[in-house]
Amino acid sequence: MEETILLIMYGCKLAKDLEESLPNLATQPDILRKSCDGIIGVFSNLKELLSHGNINFGEPHELQQTDNIGAGIQEWLRTGGNIYQAMDLLNAQAVLGGIGPEIIQPVDVDPSDSSRASSSQSKRRRKDDGYTTVTRVAAPQMGNLDLPPEDGYTWRKYGQKEIFGSKYPRSYYRCTHQKFYQCPAKKQVQRLNHDPSTFEVTYRGGHTCHMSSTAPSTAAPPVEQGMIPPIATMLQPPLSYNNSSSVNTTHWLSMEIKPSVLESTSPIFDMQMFRELGGTGSSSTTAGTLASGRFPDNQALPVADMANAMFNSSSSSTNGMENIFSFMDDKWNAR
DNA sequence: GCCATTTGACCCCC
DNA sequence: GGGGGTCAAATGGC
């Protein structure tokens, strides 16, 4: 059942990301088609799961996207639904949809690896920062072309190296908030040899600074034309959520869904939790939604905001994802 | 003075 | 041994 819920959420996240990317993808039908294929693949598997009780992840004739997504979800499930893996998975969907990051390599690091643990006492560690996500983003077309692309976080450069076999140096960045919040996030930025107009950005470790109730929370930067924000940006909390009013109905893409339906669908959509996560509807919009004016106050809550509420909420003292998956963690740990 | 960047050196690990 | 990741002193901008 957990798999079903995760698959639903995963598919909705894909839909949300596609929705957010629509302004940039309106003139790129191929990418749109791939994104739709990815979403269709997820929901096809969901349908399969609901119909036959098993997920059809391994069929070779299936979409490659589906295979990868399935493997990713299964890995995520296997390791207990870590939020950073979830971020990697969600990033992966952008890759599989062909809308930005091209290569995702969630590196599974076993913390119980004693052979490494013995040497990890050194202050200079390597390869045990958790999960690695590699993305490719377009270099700025104007201004300082040497600056790495914005991704919504603030980074401090701590090194630069000439890389053997590469024409361009690799820059090393760590999260600006590393000292105050012990945020382990790092990234490497390097221009591609064959395409200097493209940066390869390698993210290592996940941000913990935005999960702290006292940590600074920055709004996601505007998405430049032709550039897709990484999931780290997408996971930034909404600017604000207003919990002062209630909502009677919400929208699931174009569908209107009444609370009773949500309540009966799955415990994950417990309405009380949903409200606590900020999903109240009124004035609760992301910056993009607010700017677009598509969903005025006192009207329906779009799926993007709902997903934001589920995935991104920082309005409470605990992380929204943890809220959502806490019950699953308990179940998983009990296995 | 604080903070970010630069850059040579150090050190891990393949 | 060498490539690559990190440290930390020096430097510069605000």
Side-chain angles (χ1 to χ4, degrees):
Chain A
M1 187 59 191
E2 291 93 333
E3 289 85 352
T4 306
I5 296 170
L6 278 175
L7 209 54
I8 292 172
M9 296 182 66
Y10 194 59
C12 291
K13 181 60 180 169
L14 298 186
K16 175 209 169 190
D17 290 345
L18 177 60
E19 180 190 24
E20 291 184 345
S21 303
L22 274 179
N24 293 327
L25 299 179
T27 59
Q28 303 178 60
D30 288 344
I31 297 177
L32 274 174
R33 181 179 52 79
K34 289 180 181 179
S35 299
C36 292
D37 284 345
I39 296 170
I40 291 169
V42 170
F43 282 107
S44 295
N45 278 325
L46 179 62
K47 182 181 176 182
E48 186 79 12
L49 175 66
L50 293 174
S51 299
H52 304 101
N54 64 312
I55 304 179
N56 184 24
F57 282 144
E59 295 295 331
H61 62 276
E62 293 289 338
L63 290 171
Q64 182 184 356
Q65 291 95 319
T66 308
D67 292 341
N68 292 338
I69 291 171
I73 290 179
Q74 287 177 334
E75 175 65 13
W76 182 28
L77 288 168
R78 187 183 67 78
T79 54
N82 177 282
I83 186 171
Y84 297 113
Q85 288 172 271
M87 292 170 67
D88 287 340
L89 284 174
L90 296 175
N91 228 342
Q93 66 81 21
V95 176
L96 299 172
I99 54 175
E102 295 181 6
I103 303 168
I104 299 294
Q105 299 172 325
V107 178
D108 190 12
V109 176
D110 183 0
S112 64
D113 185 347
S114 58
S115 64
R116 172 158 296 134
S118 60
S119 62
S120 66
Q121 299 304 315
S122 168
K123 64 180 180 181
R124 294 185 179 181
R125 301 190 302 176
R126 193 179 298 177
K127 293 186 70 175
D128 60 351
D129 288 331
Y131 297 89
T132 299
T133 301
V134 182
T135 70
R136 290 181 182 178
V137 296
Q141 300 300 308
M142 53 190 302
N144 190 340
L145 303 184
D146 293 329
L147 287 179
E150 271 289 339
D151 59 9
Y153 289 103
T154 54
W155 301 93
R156 176 174 178 170
K157 189 175 183 177
Y158 67 88
Q160 179 171 306
K161 288 278 291 188
E162 297 290 337
I163 300 302
F164 184 78
S166 178
K167 290 189 287 187
Y168 305 97
R170 178 178 299 166
S171 297
Y172 299 89
Y173 297 84
R174 64 165 61 99
C175 179
T176 301
H177 310 299
Q178 182 199 42
K179 284 188 177 180
F180 290 119
Y181 303 108
Q182 286 78 49
C183 181
K186 294 176 183 174
K187 76 170 180 180
Q188 302 172 359
V189 179
Q190 186 173 18
R191 288 182 186 273
L192 297 179
N193 267 347
H194 59 279
D195 185 10
S197 65
T198 300
F199 283 110
E200 183 174 270
V201 184
T202 302
Y203 293 90
R204 293 175 186 273
H207 281 276
T208 59
C209 51
H210 67 283
M211 298 168 71
S212 165
S213 59
T214 57
S217 177
T218 58
V223 179
E224 295 180 29
Q225 186 68 31
M227 292 184 65
I228 304 302
I231 204 66
T233 301
M234 295 179 181
L235 288 175
Q236 289 289 331
L239 289 180
S240 65
Y241 274 93
N242 186 340
N243 294 327
S244 61
S245 64
S246 62
V247 63
N248 293 326
T249 61
T250 187
H251 281 75
W252 196 259
L253 295 178
S254 298
M255 298 179 293
E256 186 175 273
I257 298 176
K258 299 189 180 301
S260 59
V261 175
L262 292 177
E263 285 176 315
S264 62
T265 300
S266 160
I268 205 168
F269 290 123
D270 175 81
M271 291 306 289
Q272 178 60 34
M273 182 187 80
F274 183 57
R275 292 188 189 95
E276 290 175 358
L277 289 174
T280 60
S282 176
S283 300
S284 55
T285 58
T286 62
T289 305
L290 190 63
S292 69
R294 290 172 294 165
F295 303 100
D297 288 355
N298 301 322
Q299 288 195 11
L301 178 71
V303 63
D305 288 355
M306 186 167 167
N308 259 334
M310 292 191 294
F311 281 88
N312 308 342
S313 173
S314 62
S315 59
S316 60
S317 59
T318 56
N319 180 268
M321 186 69 89
E322 289 174 357
N323 273 342
I324 293 171
F325 290 106
S326 59
F327 81 97
M328 284 190 53
D329 288 340
D330 294 340
K331 288 184 178 181
W332 198 263
N333 293 333
R335 292 184 181 185

PDB file of all heavy atoms in Angstrom, chain A residues 18-34:
ATOM      1  N   LEU A  18       5.792  19.400 -14.304  1.00  0.00           N
ATOM      2  CA  LEU A  18       5.455  19.707 -15.691  1.00  0.00           C
ATOM      3  C   LEU A  18       4.659  20.998 -15.754  1.00  0.00           C
ATOM      4  O   LEU A  18       4.898  21.850 -16.620  1.00  0.00           O
ATOM      5  CB  LEU A  18       4.665  18.547 -16.302  1.00  0.00           C
ATOM      6  CG  LEU A  18       4.170  18.769 -17.743  1.00  0.00           C
ATOM      7  CD1 LEU A  18       5.364  19.011 -18.668  1.00  0.00           C
ATOM      8  CD2 LEU A  18       3.365  17.590 -18.229  1.00  0.00           C
ATOM      9  N   GLU A  19       3.733  21.133 -14.819  1.00  0.00           N
ATOM     10  CA  GLU A  19       2.928  22.353 -14.793  1.00  0.00           C
ATOM     11  C   GLU A  19       3.805  23.574 -14.613  1.00  0.00           C
ATOM     12  O   GLU A  19       3.673  24.587 -15.301  1.00  0.00           O
ATOM     13  CB  GLU A  19       1.903  22.277 -13.660  1.00  0.00           C
ATOM     14  CG  GLU A  19       1.028  23.528 -13.571  1.00  0.00           C
ATOM     15  CD  GLU A  19       0.190  23.538 -12.306  1.00  0.00           C
ATOM     16  OE1 GLU A  19       0.590  22.879 -11.320  1.00  0.00           O
ATOM     17  OE2 GLU A  19      -0.845  24.199 -12.308  1.00  0.00           O
ATOM     18  N   GLU A  20       4.754  23.474 -13.689  1.00  0.00           N
ATOM     19  CA  GLU A  20       5.618  24.619 -13.427  1.00  0.00           C
ATOM     20  C   GLU A  20       6.520  24.932 -14.605  1.00  0.00           C
ATOM     21  O   GLU A  20       6.965  26.057 -14.790  1.00  0.00           O
ATOM     22  CB  GLU A  20       6.454  24.347 -12.178  1.00  0.00           C
ATOM     23  CG  GLU A  20       5.624  24.332 -10.908  1.00  0.00           C
ATOM     24  CD  GLU A  20       6.502  24.158  -9.677  1.00  0.00           C
ATOM     25  OE1 GLU A  20       7.685  23.766  -9.844  1.00  0.00           O
ATOM     26  OE2 GLU A  20       6.010  24.408  -8.579  1.00  0.00           O
ATOM     27  N   SER A  21       6.823  23.904 -15.376  1.00  0.00           N
ATOM     28  CA  SER A  21       7.755  24.091 -16.485  1.00  0.00           C
ATOM     29  C   SER A  21       7.056  24.499 -17.768  1.00  0.00           C
ATOM     30  O   SER A  21       7.716  24.797 -18.753  1.00  0.00           O
ATOM     31  CB  SER A  21       8.539  22.795 -16.721  1.00  0.00           C
ATOM     32  OG  SER A  21       9.218  22.396 -15.558  1.00  0.00           O
ATOM     33  N   LEU A  22       5.735  24.474 -17.737  1.00  0.00           N
ATOM     34  CA  LEU A  22       4.998  24.734 -18.976  1.00  0.00           C
ATOM     35  C   LEU A  22       5.390  26.035 -19.666  1.00  0.00           C
ATOM     36  O   LEU A  22       5.559  26.063 -20.886  1.00  0.00           O
ATOM     37  CB  LEU A  22       3.493  24.717 -18.692  1.00  0.00           C
ATOM     38  CG  LEU A  22       2.845  23.329 -18.754  1.00  0.00           C
ATOM     39  CD1 LEU A  22       1.358  23.440 -18.418  1.00  0.00           C
ATOM     40  CD2 LEU A  22       3.027  22.703 -20.114  1.00  0.00           C
ATOM     41  N   PRO A  23       5.561  27.141 -18.914  1.00  0.00           N
ATOM     42  CA  PRO A  23       5.925  28.378 -19.613  1.00  0.00           C
ATOM     43  C   PRO A  23       7.203  28.246 -20.420  1.00  0.00           C
ATOM     44  O   PRO A  23       7.355  28.896 -21.450  1.00  0.00           O
ATOM     45  CB  PRO A  23       6.084  29.376 -18.463  1.00  0.00           C
ATOM     46  CG  PRO A  23       5.232  28.845 -17.365  1.00  0.00           C
ATOM     47  CD  PRO A  23       5.354  27.347 -17.486  1.00  0.00           C
ATOM     48  N   ASN A  24       8.118  27.424 -19.935  1.00  0.00           N
ATOM     49  CA  ASN A  24       9.396  27.278 -20.637  1.00  0.00           C
ATOM     50  C   ASN A  24       9.355  26.201 -21.711  1.00  0.00           C
ATOM     51  O   ASN A  24      10.232  26.147 -22.561  1.00  0.00           O
ATOM     52  CB  ASN A  24      10.499  26.935 -19.629  1.00  0.00           C
ATOM     53  CG  ASN A  24      10.776  28.081 -18.694  1.00  0.00           C
ATOM     54  OD1 ASN A  24      10.674  29.238 -19.084  1.00  0.00           O
ATOM     55  ND2 ASN A  24      11.101  27.747 -17.462  1.00  0.00           N
ATOM     56  N   LEU A  25       8.345  25.357 -21.628  1.00  0.00           N
ATOM     57  CA  LEU A  25       8.330  24.209 -22.529  1.00  0.00           C
ATOM     58  C   LEU A  25       7.280  24.338 -23.614  1.00  0.00           C
ATOM     59  O   LEU A  25       7.133  23.426 -24.431  1.00  0.00           O
ATOM     60  CB  LEU A  25       8.077  22.926 -21.727  1.00  0.00           C
ATOM     61  CG  LEU A  25       9.120  22.599 -20.671  1.00  0.00           C
ATOM     62  CD1 LEU A  25       8.739  21.325 -19.932  1.00  0.00           C
ATOM     63  CD2 LEU A  25      10.491  22.444 -21.297  1.00  0.00           C
ATOM     64  N   ALA A  26       6.590  25.451 -23.618  1.00  0.00           N
ATOM     65  CA  ALA A  26       5.474  25.589 -24.560  1.00  0.00           C
ATOM     66  C   ALA A  26       5.930  25.439 -25.995  1.00  0.00           C
ATOM     67  O   ALA A  26       5.177  24.974 -26.850  1.00  0.00           O
ATOM     68  CB  ALA A  26       4.800  26.949 -24.353  1.00  0.00           C
ATOM     69  N   THR A  27       7.166  25.803 -26.251  1.00  0.00           N
ATOM     70  CA  THR A  27       7.668  25.739 -27.631  1.00  0.00           C
ATOM     71  C   THR A  27       8.566  24.533 -27.852  1.00  0.00           C
ATOM     72  O   THR A  27       9.294  24.482 -28.837  1.00  0.00           O
ATOM     73  CB  THR A  27       8.442  27.016 -27.954  1.00  0.00           C
ATOM     74  OG1 THR A  27       9.524  27.137 -27.025  1.00  0.00           O
ATOM     75  CG2 THR A  27       7.539  28.237 -27.845  1.00  0.00           C
ATOM     76  N   GLN A  28       8.542  23.592 -26.903  1.00  0.00           N
ATOM     77  CA  GLN A  28       9.409  22.419 -27.035  1.00  0.00           C
ATOM     78  C   GLN A  28       8.572  21.153 -26.937  1.00  0.00           C
ATOM     79  O   GLN A  28       8.556  20.473 -25.900  1.00  0.00           O
ATOM     80  CB  GLN A  28      10.492  22.438 -25.952  1.00  0.00           C
ATOM     81  CG  GLN A  28      11.314  23.717 -26.006  1.00  0.00           C
ATOM     82  CD  GLN A  28      12.356  23.763 -24.904  1.00  0.00           C
ATOM     83  OE1 GLN A  28      13.220  22.900 -24.824  1.00  0.00           O
ATOM     84  NE2 GLN A  28      12.270  24.757 -24.042  1.00  0.00           N
ATOM     85  N   PRO A  29       7.855  20.830 -28.015  1.00  0.00           N
ATOM     86  CA  PRO A  29       6.923  19.693 -27.969  1.00  0.00           C
ATOM     87  C   PRO A  29       7.597  18.372 -27.657  1.00  0.00           C
ATOM     88  O   PRO A  29       6.998  17.517 -27.015  1.00  0.00           O
ATOM     89  CB  PRO A  29       6.314  19.688 -29.382  1.00  0.00           C
ATOM     90  CG  PRO A  29       7.275  20.475 -30.215  1.00  0.00           C
ATOM     91  CD  PRO A  29       7.897  21.489 -29.317  1.00  0.00           C
ATOM     92  N   ASP A  30       8.825  18.197 -28.102  1.00  0.00           N
ATOM     93  CA  ASP A  30       9.503  16.928 -27.834  1.00  0.00           C
ATOM     94  C   ASP A  30       9.687  16.718 -26.341  1.00  0.00           C
ATOM     95  O   ASP A  30       9.477  15.626 -25.805  1.00  0.00           O
ATOM     96  CB  ASP A  30      10.854  16.885 -28.542  1.00  0.00           C
ATOM     97  CG  ASP A  30      10.713  16.725 -30.044  1.00  0.00           C
ATOM     98  OD1 ASP A  30       9.593  16.346 -30.472  1.00  0.00           O
ATOM     99  OD2 ASP A  30      11.684  16.980 -30.769  1.00  0.00           O
ATOM    100  N   ILE A  31      10.124  17.784 -25.682  1.00  0.00           N
ATOM    101  CA  ILE A  31      10.339  17.679 -24.243  1.00  0.00           C
ATOM    102  C   ILE A  31       9.016  17.489 -23.524  1.00  0.00           C
ATOM    103  O   ILE A  31       8.906  16.700 -22.577  1.00  0.00           O
ATOM    104  CB  ILE A  31      11.076  18.920 -23.731  1.00  0.00           C
ATOM    105  CG1 ILE A  31      12.459  18.986 -24.374  1.00  0.00           C
ATOM    106  CG2 ILE A  31      11.176  18.913 -22.223  1.00  0.00           C
ATOM    107  CD1 ILE A  31      13.251  20.213 -23.985  1.00  0.00           C
ATOM    108  N   LEU A  32       8.014  18.196 -24.005  1.00  0.00           N
ATOM    109  CA  LEU A  32       6.685  18.032 -23.406  1.00  0.00           C
ATOM    110  C   LEU A  32       6.217  16.586 -23.549  1.00  0.00           C
ATOM    111  O   LEU A  32       5.678  16.000 -22.605  1.00  0.00           O
ATOM    112  CB  LEU A  32       5.698  18.970 -24.089  1.00  0.00           C
ATOM    113  CG  LEU A  32       5.616  20.393 -23.556  1.00  0.00           C
ATOM    114  CD1 LEU A  32       4.689  21.227 -24.432  1.00  0.00           C
ATOM    115  CD2 LEU A  32       5.125  20.391 -22.122  1.00  0.00           C
ATOM    116  N   ARG A  33       6.457  16.043 -24.724  1.00  0.00           N
ATOM    117  CA  ARG A  33       6.021  14.670 -24.955  1.00  0.00           C
ATOM    118  C   ARG A  33       6.739  13.710 -24.006  1.00  0.00           C
ATOM    119  O   ARG A  33       6.138  12.809 -23.423  1.00  0.00           O
ATOM    120  CB  ARG A  33       6.301  14.271 -26.404  1.00  0.00           C
ATOM    121  CG  ARG A  33       5.872  12.862 -26.752  1.00  0.00           C
ATOM    122  CD  ARG A  33       6.161  12.564 -28.222  1.00  0.00           C
ATOM    123  NE  ARG A  33       7.536  12.864 -28.593  1.00  0.00           N
ATOM    124  CZ  ARG A  33       8.576  12.063 -28.331  1.00  0.00           C
ATOM    125  NH1 ARG A  33       8.376  10.936 -27.668  1.00  0.00           N
ATOM    126  NH2 ARG A  33       9.798  12.395 -28.704  1.00  0.00           N
ATOM    127  N   LYS A  34       8.048  13.922 -23.838  1.00  0.00           N
ATOM    128  CA  LYS A  34       8.797  13.039 -22.945  1.00  0.00           C
ATOM    129  C   LYS A  34       8.302  13.171 -21.509  1.00  0.00           C
ATOM    130  O   LYS A  34       8.213  12.182 -20.779  1.00  0.00           O
ATOM    131  CB  LYS A  34      10.288  13.385 -23.018  1.00  0.00           C
ATOM    132  CG  LYS A  34      10.940  12.990 -24.330  1.00  0.00           C
ATOM    133  CD  LYS A  34      12.415  13.380 -24.316  1.00  0.00           C
ATOM    134  CE  LYS A  34      13.093  13.015 -25.623  1.00  0.00           C
ATOM    135  NZ  LYS A  34      14.519  13.408 -25.654  1.00  0.00           N
TER     136      LYS A  34
END
